Each structure stands twice: as C-alpha cells, then as structure tokens.
Amino acid sequence: MTRKLRMGMVGGGIGSFIGDVHRKASSIDGMIELVCGTFSSTTVKSISFGKGLLLSTERCYANFEEMILKEKELHKDIRMDFVAIVTPNHMHFSPAKMALENGFNVICDKPITLTLDEALALKDIIKISGKSFALTHNYTGNSMVKQAKVMIQNGDLGRIRKVQVHYLQGWLATSIEGTGQKQAAWRVDPKRSGIGGALGDIGTHAENLTEYITGLKIDEVAADLGVFGKGRTLDDDGNILLRFDNGAKGTLSISQIAVGEENNLAIRVFGEKGSLEWCQENPNKLVTKWLDEPVKTYTPNGNGLYSEALEVSRIPAGHPEGYLEAFATIYKNFSNHLLALENGQRPNTPDFPTVDDGIRGMQFIYAAVESNNNNSTWTKLV
C-alpha cells in the first residue's frame, strides 16, 4: 500500500445506523481515513457531528453539492479520493451522479437507487466518467461466502438444481414508524424507499447473495408479497418462487414482521453431487453435505479452504469473524482496486459489487412487484 485513501461521507449523522458501520468497516484494514463529510440536513448538525469525529470545521459541509465542489478545489494530495453515500435510497442517485461527474469515485449503500431508471442512468454516468463505483452488498465479503462461491464455480457440487434463501427480521412487527423511529420511518415511505419495502431493504441482499454464490442469474419470479403493518403501503413480507437461467428452481422468503427473528439471512444450495448451507447469524460455518461422503463443515482459516476464502480471513482459526469484517472486505477490495489504478496497473475483475449488481437488484424489485400486482404471475427480470 502506497498511501491511505481519503474518504468523504454523505449522510451517516445522528440517528444513522449504517453510517457508523461504514466508518468502522472502512477503518479495519488501515487503508482509509475519513477526511470530510456532510452528515446531516442542517449545517449546524453536520458540523457538530463532524467535529465529534475529529474532523476540521472547514471540511464539515452543509450539503453534498458544497462538499464535492469544495473538495474538487483542494490539492490532489489533500482532497478526498472517493465518496461514501450512506443515506436513505432517495438520496443515492444525485450525490453519486455529481461525485462521478466531478472526478470522484463512489461507494454506495444498497439498493443502488430509488428507481430502476436511475440505476440504468448511473451506469452510463460511471462509464462516461471513467471512475469506479462499488455497492455495499456486504455479505459477499464473508470468507465462508467466498468459499461457497468457489466450490460451486469449480463444480464441487455439480450442476445446481435448487436454491433456498431467506432473510427474516421481526423489528417491524409493530408500527414503530409512528413512534418517531427514524430507521423505520424512511423504510416504509415510498418517496424515500422506492416501490419495494422489505424487498429493497433485505430482499436485494438475498437476491444478490444467491446470484453471487451460485453464479446463476434469476430469470423470472412469481411473487406473493404482504403488507401487514397498519397504515403501510410497501411490502413488509413476501414469498417468491425463482427460476434460474440454468433451469434450477428456487424460493426466496423475506419478512420484517417475523416476530423473534433478528437478522436471519440464510441460504441452501443443492447440486447433483452435494449441497451447502450458510447462515449470516452463524457466519463462521459453511456446512456441506454429499452423496457418498460425511458431512463437512468449513471454518475461516480451517482446512480445505480455497485461496479466495483464506485471503479475506484476518484472524487465527477459532476467532469469530462476522458482519463488520465482511463489510470491511468490500472496502479493502475497493481500495486495492483504486490504488492499482492510481499506480498505473490493470486490476483484475473487481471483487466487490458493482453497478451491474445494483441494476440486478432493482430489476428484482420491479419484477417482484409486477408479479405480485398480477396475481403472482411469472415475470422476467429485464
């Protein structure tokens, strides 16, 4: 590493959950430092919050427009290298667009944008700008997820036939958005969340994890979505049948009203020769089952791992690695990509989610909503 990369942040102030996650994850590998930001909707709050992060007042900005334009004027050895966008969905596209058009790389929370049209437009903007873009589908950074992906890629399980994935939470089982709960309020608001509720918030994680691990594409869906919270218009529950491009079948279940569930993201993949299962709440174990062999459980830094899994394991075997470490892997790989470009090297295919993953997520949301609105008819992702 030749130097630390300098990060600016849009959002992530008082009351934000994900902003603090981004700051912690980006710092884990010592490759990134936060140098500026616009953290709140008011200048006073933004400056106050930034000072609490030990930033200078001059680099705590009133809004993202001011931040991007003023940072652009600074010397290249001081100004930010990239922008982290950690806002609700409706505030992803505009700062990403402006940052890219002014020469800054971008890392953004998921789903990528408020609408599919914005996602498609952003892909064109990225291409014209020549800058890099990453999306924080953080679960793909887990070492056991990497192991699962390479096992399937190398044919260890044989041809994939069936996939079951679910993402279950219970935190919206009551209408807490009416109590002033900030994180709930924007997620149930179509103007800030988009056309998908749980679909956008956690469904896109399940979709992305499925396509990442299996290497398959979801071809079409048949969705039955539910709205259980009083006064809500967006889905907070759903069951979706999947058809994949290789002929495999699958199911995807999501819920934010599943009482007692915390963050239960889990996947099972069945092939001709074997199967595997992984659960985010027990992320250090990848369980595999075989036609003619005993059950085998893989762990980080354990025996039999592929190099791709070993490369993202930071600590000795038996020490838990989880959410923050997986999130940090996205930042680390993005940083290595940017530094390689800066040093005139030609990076390998990016090992982090890109704009194409973001577009897939939006296509999934739109197809599921369309299917649900048409009595769960099969609908293609286009």
Side-chain angles (χ1 to χ4, degrees), residues 318-362:
H319 294 79
E321 297 182 67
Y323 181 73
L324 285 176
E325 290 85 356
F327 218 113
T329 296
I330 306 297
Y331 268 99
K332 180 180 180 180
N333 291 347
F334 186 56
S335 297
N336 283 330
H337 180 82
L338 297 185
L339 289 170
L341 290 172
E342 182 179 276
N343 295 326
Q345 300 169 3
R346 190 171 183 176
N348 297 325
T349 302
D351 189 15
F352 53 80
T354 68
V355 63
D356 290 324
D357 296 287
I359 290 172
R360 289 293 297 172
M362 296 306 297

Side-chain angles (χ1 to χ4, degrees), residues 143-144 283-285 298-302 305 310 313 315-319 321:
S143 61
M144 293 298 91
N284 290 185
K285 294 187 183 298
Y298 293 89
T299 59
N301 275 318
L305 294 185
L310 289 169
S313 297
I315 50 182
H319 294 79
E321 297 182 67

Side-chain angles (χ1 to χ4, degrees), residues 277-332:
E277 53 190 84
W278 178 81
C279 179
Q280 189 279 147
E281 292 187 336
N282 191 14
N284 290 185
K285 294 187 183 298
L286 175 67
V287 178
T288 61
K289 301 175 183 178
W290 308 95
L291 279 175
D292 51 7
E293 297 178 31
V295 173
K296 182 173 183 179
T297 300
Y298 293 89
T299 59
N301 275 318
N303 295 324
L305 294 185
Y306 285 108
S307 60
E308 289 85 347
L310 289 169
E311 287 170 0
V312 299
S313 297
R314 295 173 174 80
I315 50 182
H319 294 79
E321 297 182 67
Y323 181 73
L324 285 176
E325 290 85 356
F327 218 113
T329 296
I330 306 297
Y331 268 99
K332 180 180 180 180

Side-chain angles (χ1 to χ4, degrees), residues 10 53 57 66 179 260 262 266 274:
V10 178
L53 298 174
T57 301
E66 180 187 44
T179 68
E262 293 180 343

Side-chain angles (χ1 to χ4, degrees), residues 6 8 17 28 44 51 94 98 109 135 153 164 193 196 208 224 231 235 317 334-335 337 364 382:
R6 296 176 292 273
F17 154 70
I28 282 178
V44 172
K51 288 172 68 176
S94 294
M98 185 174 181
D109 241 6
L135 194 67
Q153 182 178 292
Q164 293 179 318
S193 182
N208 179 259
D224 181 19
D235 63 276
F334 186 56
S335 297
H337 180 82
F364 168 75
V382 293

Side-chain angles (χ1 to χ4, degrees), residues 66-369:
E66 180 187 44
M67 182 180 81
I68 291 168
L69 293 178
K70 288 195 173 181
E71 287 291 314
K72 186 179 180 181
E73 294 173 355
L74 298 177
H75 190 274
K76 64 181 181 64
D77 292 336
I78 300 175
R79 66 173 173 249
M80 64 181 178
D81 294 296
F82 70 93
V83 178
I85 300 172
V86 299
T87 57
N89 306 348
H90 73 297
M91 282 296 295
H92 288 180
F93 178 73
S94 294
K97 177 178 184 292
M98 185 174 181
L100 292 161
E101 290 177 341
N102 282 274
F104 295 106
N105 303 292
V106 172
I107 188 165
C108 182
D109 241 6
K110 43 56 52 192
I112 188 168
T113 48
L114 186 71
T115 68
L116 177 56
D117 285 345
E118 285 183 344
L120 295 170
L122 192 59
K123 181 173 182 176
D124 291 336
I125 294 166
I126 293 167
K127 183 177 181 180
I128 292 170
S129 73
K131 307 309 293 184
S132 297
F133 178 92
L135 194 67
T136 52
H137 276 300
N138 51 289
Y139 299 108
T140 62
N142 186 282
S143 61
M144 293 298 91
V145 170
K146 302 286 187 189
Q147 175 71 9
K149 177 180 177 64
V150 181
M151 290 180 72
I152 292 173
Q153 182 178 292
N154 289 353
D156 295 357
L157 272 61
R159 179 181 173 85
I160 302 305
R161 294 170 165 174
K162 182 179 182 66
V163 182
Q164 293 179 318
V165 60
H166 66 244
Y167 200 153
L168 307 177
Q169 299 175 335
W171 72 293
L172 292 181
T174 60
S175 299
I176 60 172
E177 61 269 23
T179 68
Q181 216 280 10
K182 184 177 179 180
Q183 295 303 315
W186 76 258
R187 283 174 169 84
V188 302
D189 179 3
K191 293 180 180 178
R192 292 181 283 175
S193 182
I195 66 169
L199 268 175
D201 194 28
I202 58 177
T204 52
H205 270 312
E207 167 270 325
N208 179 259
L209 185 70
T210 298
E211 293 198 341
Y212 181 80
I213 286 180
T214 65
L216 303 176
K217 297 295 184 185
I218 299 170
D219 183 49
E220 53 184 343
V221 300
D224 181 19
L225 305 178
V227 183
F228 290 95
K230 184 178 180 180
R232 291 178 189 159
T233 57
L234 296 179
D235 63 276
D236 51 24
D237 183 81
N239 299 294
I240 304 171
L241 296 177
L242 310 174
R243 288 175 177 166
F244 292 91
D245 58 357
N246 77 330
K249 309 296 185 182
T251 60
L252 188 154
S253 180
I254 56 171
S255 184
Q256 292 182 315
I257 52 88
V259 174
E261 294 290 353
E262 293 180 343
N263 203 59
N264 186 0
L265 169 61
I267 185 168
R268 303 174 73 192
V269 182
F270 300 86
E272 294 173 320
K273 298 187 292 184
S275 65
L276 59 80
E277 53 190 84
W278 178 81
C279 179
Q280 189 279 147
E281 292 187 336
N282 191 14
N284 290 185
K285 294 187 183 298
L286 175 67
V287 178
T288 61
K289 301 175 183 178
W290 308 95
L291 279 175
D292 51 7
E293 297 178 31
V295 173
K296 182 173 183 179
T297 300
Y298 293 89
T299 59
N301 275 318
N303 295 324
L305 294 185
Y306 285 108
S307 60
E308 289 85 347
L310 289 169
E311 287 170 0
V312 299
S313 297
R314 295 173 174 80
I315 50 182
H319 294 79
E321 297 182 67
Y323 181 73
L324 285 176
E325 290 85 356
F327 218 113
T329 296
I330 306 297
Y331 268 99
K332 180 180 180 180
N333 291 347
F334 186 56
S335 297
N336 283 330
H337 180 82
L338 297 185
L339 289 170
L341 290 172
E342 182 179 276
N343 295 326
Q345 300 169 3
R346 190 171 183 176
N348 297 325
T349 302
D351 189 15
F352 53 80
T354 68
V355 63
D356 290 324
D357 296 287
I359 290 172
R360 289 293 297 172
M362 296 306 297
Q363 290 171 333
F364 168 75
I365 294 170
Y366 274 64
V369 170

